Amino acid sequence: MRLRPILYGLLALPTLVSLALYAADPEITVYKTATCGCCSKWVDHLKANGFQVIVNEVPSTTEYRRKYGVPDSLASCHTAVVEGYAIEGHVPAAEIHRLLKERPNAKGLAVPGMPMGSPGMEASRRDKYSVLLFDAQGRTTVYQEYPGN
């Protein structure tokens, strides 16, 4: 029958489309000031780890932190958004990929401040820091810890 190959093709189409979407690099939008060098290094880290990055240079990131629900207590030097999640500060790409895979009921991830040794803040010294998962009420839990040296 000539219909069988067509039928098989139609049945396979949803799988092929979902594989293509899964294989696509996630798109992340970053809001940063023009003068922040560590933010540019963090953007390079994201690109090197499979993200398509859209950079918006803004006078201040405060407006975007508030818009995307990042509590002031978690503030850092840049704010990003990926697939509905807010990303604040020097969050390692591995944790963002994990977030997108696990899809927890959360607002986003944050690395408050600018810890030495985090992506974009590379140095000979590495501070101990935590990646925090936060919800819409501003409650946090430790998502991943990184040791210092």
Side-chain angles (χ1 to χ4, degrees):
M1 287 234 149
R2 300 187 127 227
L3 291 176
R4 187 171 282 171
I6 293 170
L7 182 60
Y8 287 149
L10 289 174
L11 290 173
L13 189 59
T15 302
L16 294 173
V17 169
S18 65
L19 286 174
L21 290 174
Y22 181 76
D25 293 340
E27 184 176 282
I28 187 167
T29 302
V30 178
Y31 300 92
K32 66 179 234 25
T33 61
T35 57
C36 189
C38 67
C39 296
S40 296
K41 289 180 182 179
W42 184 70
V43 165
D44 292 341
H45 166 75
L46 294 177
K47 289 177 180 177
N49 286 279
F51 286 92
Q52 292 180 24
V53 185
I54 298 169
V55 176
N56 291 299
E57 292 187 349
V58 296
S60 170
T61 60
T62 303
E63 166 188 348
Y64 299 94
R65 246 192 336 272
R66 290 188 178 137
K67 178 179 179 178
Y68 296 111
V70 179
D72 289 340
S73 61
L74 302 180
S76 185
C77 56
H78 53 263
T79 303
V81 180
V82 59
E83 297 184 18
Y85 289 105
I87 308 295
E88 181 68 18
H90 294 269
V91 176
E95 305 315 326
I96 302 171
H97 282 297
R98 178 179 157 206
L99 176 79
L100 296 176
K101 181 180 178 186
E102 294 177 354
R103 302 243 178 237
N105 183 15
K107 201 73 173 152
L109 295 175
V111 172
M114 298 167 63
M116 296 302 293
S118 61
M121 295 291 295
E122 290 84 0
S124 58
R125 183 183 100 221
R126 283 192 327 254
D127 296 336
K128 179 182 177 183
Y129 69 94
S130 297
V131 177
L132 303 175
L133 182 74
F134 63 95
D135 66 15
Q137 289 73 43
R139 294 179 298 235
T140 63
T141 56
V142 174
Y143 197 65
Q144 184 67 47
E145 289 199 11
Y146 285 82
N149 64 356

